[in-house]
Amino acid sequence: MIVTIGFLIGALMGVLIARNKGGNRLDMVQHAAVIGVMMALVALFLNILILRLI
């Protein structure tokens, strides 16, 4: 659940960053995918850390 939310937040951030830079639709998709995956990885490690501490 945390990983999915992290991906969605990252994808939204990617779209907003590409839109502010004046990118077209494909730029927005690429930024959304890359930042979404990065945020999902961060959320995955955070999830593992939380489960280890419990």
Side-chain angles (χ1 to χ4, degrees), residues 6-39:
F7 179 79
L8 292 175
I9 290 172
L12 180 63
M13 286 174 42
V15 168
L16 293 176
I17 289 170
R19 186 178 293 166
N20 286 338
K21 289 184 177 182
N24 58 14
R25 185 176 299 148
L26 290 177
D27 291 329
M28 290 181 202
V29 170
Q30 182 178 7
H31 275 78
V34 170
I35 296 176
V37 168
M38 288 180 359
M39 290 292 289

